[in-house]
Amino acid sequence: MKQAVTAEQYAKAKEWSQDWHDDVDNAQVAPHWIGPSSTFWYQRDIRVGAQKGSEYVIVDPVSNSAEPAFDHARLATALRALLQEEVDPHQLPIDKLTINDHPSIIYFVAKEKYWAYDQTQNECYEVEPAQAKPNELLSPDGQWAAYVENYNLYVRHLKTEEVRQLTYDGEQYYGYGSEESAMNETSQQISGDVPPPSVLWSPDSKKLITLRLDEKNVKELHVVQNVPLDHKEVRPTLYTSRYAMVGDKHVPMMEVYIANIDHQQSIRVEAEPIAATSPSAFHPITPLAGWSEDSQQVYYKQVARDFKSAQLILVQADTGEARVIAEETNETFIFTHLYHNGNISYYSYFNIMTSLKPNFQLLQDNSLIWLSERDGYGHLYVIDSCTGQTLRALTAGNWNVRRLIAIDEEQGWVYFTASGRETGRDPYYQHLYRVQLDGSCLSLLTPEDANHNVILSPDFAYFVNTHSRVDSPPTSVLRSVNGDCIRELERANIQPLLERGYQLPERFTVKAADGITDLYGIIIKPAHLDLAQTYPVIDHYYAGPQVIQTPKSFTLKALNTGGAQALAQLGFATILMDGKGTPFRSREFIDVVAGNMGDGSGLEDHVASLPQLAQMYPFLDIERVGIWGSSGGGYGAARAILKYPDTYTAAVASAGNHDQLMYINMWGEHYQGMLDPQYPDRYANQANADLAAHLKGKLLLAHGDIDDNVHIGQTLRLAAALIKADKDFDLLIMPNVEHNVPAEAYFIRRKWDFFIRHLLGVEPPKLPIHAPDNEGQSASIESNSMKASIS
């Protein structure tokens, strides 16, 4: 007898479709270092009844002390009088706290105003903020903010409001400091958002390295907003951007410039223009450039259009003279420029720190630390920047350096994270290590069998380490740089989460389709599991080769596991796994995807894993398997049901780039290869439309009509092929939705309905689970300018 899905289950699923930050206390300690010292403050969670409160703590590692950063009760009293409302000492209505070298006065935002609090006088008073605007990037000394206006680069002094123009001949589609517009221009036009400029400040705050982006000859792509936000407007609105596709003659080209604040001018770097990538080397979230400590030299990594080579260019800041000091090549494609995509805590780290270090650094003796995959794994090398000669390898072995954290030249230590070195552990877990600059004394600094997020103090004396696994809550500790544990800072409390019914993920290991290679994944079991029954399986899938899909740390976000907690409430088991053709294992492992995007980064491995999982978990019914994904995962989900119609019963594919020839050039050309008359069939094995006649199961295609990352034409072209093949399928086009379809409440409900009908074989409850916002006219515009990866 089929079991009906109730309205109560839908209500529970709706709860679990939201993130659960409020149900976990102290998931991470975010240290805010005070000046150049190792003293820091952080915000810790406490329970105030059933709600979450907080308090602020200052930690002095030298004395091994932790104490309140200020008197919370006294500040609450001062705010109560000032704001004329009740203020709880443990739920202070403050944000953007700043504590300087002299903590007697602290600064914060409350009620959208900026305040100073004098602890000695117990007095709050309003202050004029001197801070960068959302469209500006602050200089290291905190005095200048860079921004783009009318396609030119400017700086503004935060205190005097003096404005200096640094470039003068910018124009539309040939402007300074702007990222390639293809994947975010429409969203920015509709939302009005203006991103910060793509610049990198020099340490002395007198210079910036930036780009001038030439898109003049790039072909146009049109996006139609069919339902304008102005309800009185009945005509659809047309938006146009420059968008290069695979094989186009003209692609966005990047010219590099150095701007000088004092001289109010810029000089072009003496290097040929290069094909632009998105994000560029100078984007705030892309650590692909750096300055020398004396601000006299700057260096950046540039990647060839065919992605088979990358060069590190060293520039003399005053003259623009440039030369190549390091180079990496690969017969398939290079990948080290995307290593930052594999840092699980990448964005949280960026929110704490003002900048991220690249995986290379020029030292004071003109040697260079360089990350390369030349031996099949990511390792650090010392290179003579004058001759380009490799002097020595700092690391070696069948494991990967993942991120260069810092170099303490005075003591001769290099700090980095790596994965795969510790035997018997998940090879994706990042641990912190250090090694001497001569290659000796390699040591592990974070011994726990978990994934580690580390932030080193400015004086290279201590680091804060938060470690966790998907099945083990976070613990944050303070360690000295020799690895000694100074004190435990926080141990996360997940009890409220468990009491709500959180399904703790379980880790598993299976063999790839080759029967040899170990693959790693997780399963989230159905809620109220009855081992006497069997349950359908949902494979949450992403087919992009640039990231791994499976979370390695304890997660607080619903979408990090594909909405698995919600699906568990509806009677589904969800699996996530990383097959061959994905990064951070070895070159041999990722090279499977080269010229083979039609396999969807290990799709055959997912198919091979299902019988193994059924042996491990007998309650899984692998005769009822669904798959869903978005963007590259939308491509992969549709690919799965078309290529393996006897394995997958139902698929939901949202915002899918179903043919790489129709997607942005840097995607297909990177992994599938360049269009070449000598290889006319290079792209013949990847377009989903070519498999339309193979459809046997149930397929739901979804897309937002103003998606400027993956154009809606991708889904419509696959729909046209399915119609031509006389195949039944469902099509959901969502007005005023851009690329982030999975976050839309209506899509979430339709996805649940679809799997319930076609995997459980029952009708979903007919209740308005998700009330429409603004009568269905609400916009869901999210700028893609701060996203680190495409598709």
Side-chain angles (χ1 to χ4, degrees):
M1 179 179 177
K2 296 176 180 178
Q3 184 69 42
V5 177
T6 66
E8 289 74 20
Q9 285 177 274
Y10 257 54
K12 277 285 188 183
K14 182 182 178 183
E15 292 178 11
W16 285 111
S17 66
Q18 308 298 319
D19 297 341
W20 41 88
H21 297 84
D22 290 342
D23 298 306
V24 177
D25 300 334
N26 299 307
Q28 181 178 3
V29 167
H32 299 262
W33 309 104
I34 300 176
S37 72
S38 54
T39 301
F40 64 94
W41 68 267
Y42 72 95
Q43 183 178 351
R44 70 179 303 267
D45 300 324
I46 60 173
R47 283 283 144 183
V48 181
Q51 295 182 319
K52 180 182 286 191
S54 64
E55 58 186 22
Y56 298 84
V57 180
I58 282 186
V59 178
D60 183 350
V62 177
S63 63
N64 192 13
S65 64
E67 57 187 25
F70 49 83
D71 189 319
H72 292 63
R74 293 184 74 201
L75 177 55
T77 300
L79 284 174
R80 190 178 300 122
L82 195 69
L83 304 177
Q84 296 295 303
E85 63 182 43
E86 286 299 315
V87 177
D88 188 318
H90 296 301
Q91 291 179 318
L92 294 169
I94 68 174
D95 192 17
K96 298 181 180 179
L97 176 68
T98 300
I99 301 177
N100 297 319
D101 294 340
H102 305 289
S104 59
I105 298 180
I106 64 174
Y107 301 88
F108 55 85
V109 175
K111 298 296 182 181
E112 299 181 350
K113 294 183 179 181
Y114 294 82
W115 307 91
Y117 173 59
D118 187 332
Q119 298 193 63
T120 58
Q121 302 296 321
N122 192 30
E123 178 186 5
C124 274
Y125 51 91
E126 190 173 353
V127 294
E128 285 293 329
Q131 66 166 10
K133 300 173 183 177
N135 66 318
E136 297 177 332
L137 197 66
L138 192 62
S139 61
D141 65 7
Q143 296 190 41
W144 294 94
Y147 64 96
V148 171
E149 185 175 289
N150 295 326
Y151 314 109
N152 282 301
L153 186 63
Y154 295 78
V155 293
R156 176 180 66 90
H157 197 278
L158 268 63
K159 291 185 178 179
T160 67
E161 291 295 332
E162 177 191 359
V163 172
R164 297 182 183 180
Q165 187 170 354
L166 304 180
T167 67
Y168 301 88
D169 56 345
E171 59 185 81
Q172 187 176 24
Y173 298 121
Y174 195 28
Y176 293 91
S178 299
E179 283 293 303
E180 182 183 353
S181 62
M183 298 173 66
N184 53 49
E185 186 175 7
T186 297
S187 298
Q188 291 173 10
Q189 289 180 42
I190 296 174
S191 68
D193 292 339
V194 179
S198 289
V199 300
L200 184 66
W201 282 96
S202 62
D204 64 6
S205 298
K206 293 180 180 297
K207 307 180 190 73
L208 308 99
I209 186 168
T210 187
L211 59 91
R212 189 179 190 186
L213 190 68
D214 185 355
E215 299 177 290
K216 296 190 301 294
N217 297 315
V218 177
K219 290 183 178 180
E220 295 180 338
L221 186 71
H222 307 293
V223 171
V224 177
Q225 186 182 31
N226 294 282
V227 186
L229 300 181
D230 182 354
H231 297 177
K232 297 178 182 178
E233 178 58 66
V234 296
R235 297 179 184 274
T237 304
L238 177 70
Y239 294 92
T240 301
S241 63
R242 303 296 171 101
Y243 192 106
M245 295 183 182
V246 172
D248 281 0
K249 179 180 179 181
H250 298 288
V251 300
M253 300 296 291
M254 183 179 82
E255 302 166 0
V256 181
Y257 282 76
I258 295 177
N260 188 298
I261 300 294
D262 292 337
H263 299 162
Q264 292 188 238
Q265 66 179 18
S266 61
I267 57 173
R268 181 172 166 179
V269 169
E270 297 175 1
E272 291 297 315
I274 58 173
T277 56
S278 180
S280 72
F282 313 125
H283 194 284
I285 66 168
T286 314
L288 291 176
W291 283 87
S292 61
E293 287 189 11
D294 61 6
S295 299
Q296 297 304 304
Q297 296 176 304
V298 63
Y299 44 96
Y300 63 93
K301 193 171 188 176
Q302 67 175 24
V303 184
R305 179 177 175 177
D306 65 2
F307 291 92
K308 292 183 181 295
S309 64
Q311 297 177 326
L312 191 68
I313 309 297
L314 179 67
V315 182
Q316 301 302 315
D318 291 336
T319 65
E321 179 186 354
R323 60 186 176 87
V324 177
I325 59 173
E327 186 168 9
E328 182 179 7
T329 61
N330 196 285
E331 292 183 3
T332 54
F333 55 83
I334 61 102
F335 190 77
T336 51
H337 64 298
L338 293 179
Y339 262 46
H340 58 274
N341 282 349
N343 295 316
I344 301 300
S345 56
Y346 179 69
Y347 290 103
S348 61
Y349 182 91
F350 182 72
N351 289 334
I352 300 167
M353 308 301 289
T354 56
S355 64
L356 296 168
K357 299 293 185 183
N359 279 329
F360 43 84
Q361 184 172 325
L362 187 68
L363 304 184
Q364 295 180 34
D365 64 358
N366 284 323
S367 63
L368 171 75
I369 306 297
W370 176 250
L371 177 67
S372 171
E373 293 182 320
R374 64 181 66 176
D375 73 346
Y377 294 87
H379 283 295
L380 296 174
Y381 298 84
V382 180
I383 293 175
D384 186 325
S385 69
C386 297
T387 66
Q389 179 184 359
T390 298
L391 302 178
R392 59 188 171 276
L394 291 182
T395 62
N398 296 342
W399 48 278
N400 284 287
V401 171
R402 298 283 292 277
R403 182 170 140 232
L404 181 61
I405 299 292
I407 300 175
D408 180 357
E409 292 192 63
E410 183 177 336
Q411 300 297 322
W413 288 110
V414 178
Y415 296 88
F416 62 92
T417 65
S419 58
R421 183 175 182 268
E422 308 307 313
T423 59
R425 298 185 180 183
D426 186 315
Y428 297 97
Y429 287 167
Q430 292 193 65
H431 295 269
L432 180 66
Y433 300 85
R434 71 175 180 176
V435 66
Q436 282 277 287
L437 279 167
D438 62 5
S440 65
C441 303
L442 176 65
S443 57
L444 170 68
L445 303 178
T446 53
E448 297 87 356
D449 182 7
N451 196 50
H452 295 261
N453 171 35
V454 295
I455 301 179
L456 195 66
S457 65
D459 60 0
F460 305 116
Y462 300 89
F463 64 91
V464 172
N465 171 32
T466 298
H467 58 85
S468 70
R469 301 193 306 241
V470 293
D471 56 356
S472 179
T475 297
S476 297
V477 298
L478 174 66
R479 291 184 181 275
S480 68
V481 287
N482 62 11
D484 291 341
C485 185
I486 305 301
R487 68 187 300 133
E488 181 179 293
L489 296 169
E490 302 291 345
R491 188 176 293 268
N493 172 28
I494 67 168
Q495 193 58 36
L497 190 67
L498 297 175
E499 291 173 357
R500 276 187 55 201
Y502 181 75
Q503 299 300 115
L504 206 62
E506 291 186 12
R507 298 173 295 140
F508 64 75
T509 304
V510 294
K511 295 296 183 183
D514 61 14
I516 300 171
T517 308
D518 284 337
L519 303 177
Y520 298 81
I522 62 172
I523 181 172
I524 294 89
K525 298 177 181 178
H528 314 296
L529 178 64
D530 181 353
L531 294 178
Q533 296 187 29
T534 59
Y535 297 83
V537 183
I538 304 293
D539 186 352
H540 179 49
Y541 183 57
Y542 185 74
Q546 86 282 21
V547 293
I548 58 172
Q549 165 86 345
T550 310
K552 299 300 173 181
S553 297
F554 194 88
T555 180
L556 302 179
K557 293 182 175 294
L559 279 178
N560 281 359
T561 53
Q565 296 295 330
L567 290 166
Q569 299 296 325
L570 301 176
F572 299 100
T574 299
I575 62 169
L576 292 86
M577 189 186 74
D578 294 291
K580 297 176 74 173
T582 54
F584 311 123
R585 292 282 294 274
S586 68
R587 281 303 320 189
E588 181 182 9
F589 195 91
I590 193 175
D591 277 348
V592 169
V593 80
N596 185 35
M597 295 190 78
D599 185 46
S601 295
L603 181 54
E604 65 174 350
D605 295 327
H606 281 248
V607 173
S609 75
L610 290 167
Q612 300 175 65
L613 290 169
Q615 289 288 324
M616 298 162 60
Y617 304 102
F619 59 84
L620 297 181
D621 183 354
I622 61 171
E623 298 299 317
R624 295 182 292 162
V625 181
I627 187 169
W628 91 273
S630 194
S631 193
Y635 169 78
R639 189 77 177 173
I641 201 167
L642 296 173
K643 191 172 182 180
Y644 298 99
D646 296 326
T647 298
Y648 292 100
T649 305
V652 176
S654 71
N657 48 308
H658 298 290
D659 186 342
Q660 314 320 318
L661 286 172
M662 294 180 63
Y663 194 38
I664 196 164
N665 70 292
M666 71 185 77
W667 182 255
E669 291 177 354
H670 192 171
Y671 303 109
Q672 193 70 12
M674 299 290 292
L675 272 186
D676 188 336
Q678 296 185 42
Y679 304 97
D681 297 328
R682 176 163 283 170
Y683 278 78
N685 68 347
Q686 57 79 39
N688 281 340
D690 294 341
L691 300 180
H694 295 184
L695 181 64
K696 289 172 57 177
K698 302 296 183 179
L699 173 62
L700 168 61
L701 300 176
H703 219 111
D705 73 338
I706 57 170
D707 189 340
D708 55 359
N709 182 323
V710 177
H711 194 273
I712 191 174
Q714 292 260 18
T715 287
L716 294 179
R717 183 165 293 202
L718 176 56
L722 291 166
I723 290 170
K724 184 176 181 180
D726 198 24
K727 295 295 182 178
D728 294 341
F729 66 100
D730 291 308
L731 179 63
L732 173 62
I733 304 299
M734 302 183 67
N736 285 325
V737 172
E738 47 91 64
H739 195 56
N740 196 21
V741 174
E744 293 293 318
Y746 182 76
F747 168 77
I748 292 171
R749 197 265 294 172
R750 288 291 304 272
K751 177 182 65 180
W752 296 345
D753 290 351
F754 188 82
F755 284 137
I756 285 168
R757 286 191 179 100
H758 300 303
L759 294 180
L760 292 178
V762 299
E763 281 296 305
K766 298 185 181 301
L767 293 173
I769 302 301
H770 298 286
D773 296 326
N774 197 20
E775 297 183 354
Q777 300 298 321
S778 65
S780 177
I781 312 301
E782 176 188 340
S783 172
N784 292 313
S785 63
M786 291 297 289
K787 293 180 180 177
S789 58
I790 61 176
S791 189

